[in-house]
Amino acid sequence: MDQSEATRLLLVDDEAALREPLAEYLARQGFVVEQAASAAEARVHLRDAPPDLVLLDIMMPGEDGLSLCRHLAETQAIPTILLTARGEATDRIVGLEIGADDYVTKPFEPRELVARIRSVLRRAAKGGAPAPAEEEADLVFDGWRLDPLKRKLTDPEGAVVAISSVEFRLLMAFLEHPRQVLDRDRLLDMVQGREAHLFDRAVDNQISRLRRKIEADSRNPTLIQTVWGGGYMLAADVRREPARQG
């Protein structure tokens, strides 16, 4: 089955002249497409029927795309691609830093957007797909527990901690390589993909966000340690345990 056949997209753009023809094109490519003309409409869709991926325009009246992207990164692990007319590097960096998985600059070729969608979906699937023999295993480290299939992170007290799709892939990279130094280039390739090598700040920002969620004191981290001149390392042993039900 083609990867796009079961994929549900939410297209958020206030310009109907762009949004509607693009939605029709994506539907012809086999995607199921819902449309929203504003961040407020998008929030209703996200609450009632969360999609597999969000296509999000930055410049919208009312709440803008960056604000909605930040909300998605903080509350839901849904891959997000920004649609932006802004070509400046600063705007692209901001989008990557707050949790976007990719961006496409307007005007764009629809076929390029489809390629970006499939690339992001492949990265997301790769980041969450353990080996078949390990499908039912949770990853446990320093009292924390990550269910890779459900993308559910639980703290030592049993409370669920929300993580974005980028944070999930970043954490998976560390859990798959415990006590190994991972440099920025390798981490960026794992979690960001396209042109990520241009934005070292992006991975540093995501590391900081992840530390705020799993460290007792993010200013003095003990789990994700900085290795000067080398990168970062998860300073904890990781074991696999049967997945918990519920």
Side-chain angles (χ1 to χ4, degrees):
M1 181 177 67
D2 186 85
Q3 181 184 35
S4 65
E5 287 180 3
T7 301
R8 297 177 58 255
L9 307 179
L10 175 60
L11 173 57
V12 189
D13 195 312
D14 64 302
E15 296 184 36
L18 181 149
R19 185 186 70 249
E20 293 174 357
L22 180 57
E24 292 177 4
Y25 176 84
L26 292 171
R28 291 197 299 272
Q29 304 306 306
F31 297 101
V32 176
V33 186
E34 297 291 338
Q35 300 182 48
S38 66
E41 281 187 34
R43 284 177 180 266
V44 174
H45 284 282
L46 291 165
R47 181 193 66 210
D48 295 343
D52 298 305
L53 183 142
V54 176
L55 300 169
L56 181 56
D57 183 38
I58 287 183
M59 297 297 291
M60 295 187 294
E63 182 182 8
D64 66 19
L66 289 177
S67 173
L68 183 57
C69 181
R70 184 177 293 107
H71 167 75
L72 279 168
E74 292 173 349
T75 62
Q76 293 176 276
I78 300 176
T80 303
I81 297 177
L82 295 177
L83 308 179
T84 173
R86 299 175 174 178
E88 294 81 0
T90 299
D91 297 304
R92 300 199 297 269
I93 290 170
V94 170
L96 293 173
E97 285 185 339
I98 64 176
D101 294 82
D102 204 345
Y103 66 89
V104 178
T105 303
K106 297 178 182 179
F108 53 80
E109 166 60 49
R111 287 177 297 178
E112 178 190 358
L113 178 59
V114 170
R116 297 299 173 197
I117 291 169
R118 290 175 175 154
S119 176
V120 167
L121 290 170
R122 282 195 299 270
R123 292 205 307 271
K126 183 178 179 181
E134 300 166 343
E135 285 182 351
E136 301 303 321
D138 286 354
L139 299 172
V140 180
F141 63 103
D142 199 47
W144 290 78
R145 178 180 293 265
L146 179 68
D147 181 333
L149 292 181
K150 297 179 180 177
R151 301 193 175 198
K152 183 171 73 172
L153 178 65
T154 308
D155 71 13
E157 284 71 48
V160 175
V161 177
I163 55 174
S164 70
S165 60
V166 175
E167 291 165 351
F168 168 77
R169 292 199 299 275
L170 186 60
L171 181 56
M172 281 295 296
F174 284 119
L175 295 179
E176 290 171 347
H177 304 88
R179 300 193 183 279
Q180 297 181 35
V181 177
L182 303 177
D183 63 28
R184 286 181 177 83
D185 287 341
R186 189 173 180 187
L187 287 169
L188 284 165
D189 183 62
M190 288 176 174
V191 305
Q192 294 285 13
R194 179 186 180 221
E195 296 190 30
H197 63 283
L198 300 177
F199 308 127
D200 279 5
R201 283 174 48 196
V203 74
D204 293 333
N205 184 275
Q206 294 298 338
I207 291 284
S208 295
R209 292 171 63 90
L210 186 56
R211 279 173 167 166
R212 287 197 292 271
K213 294 182 178 182
I214 70 173
E215 298 280 2
D217 181 356
S218 61
R219 292 170 296 182
N220 297 288
T222 59
L223 281 175
I224 300 178
Q225 297 183 356
T226 301
V227 180
W228 299 112
Y232 297 95
M233 179 182 71
L234 178 70
D237 294 324
V238 179
R239 67 181 185 277
R240 295 183 182 274
E241 293 186 356
R244 292 178 176 174
Q245 299 301 314

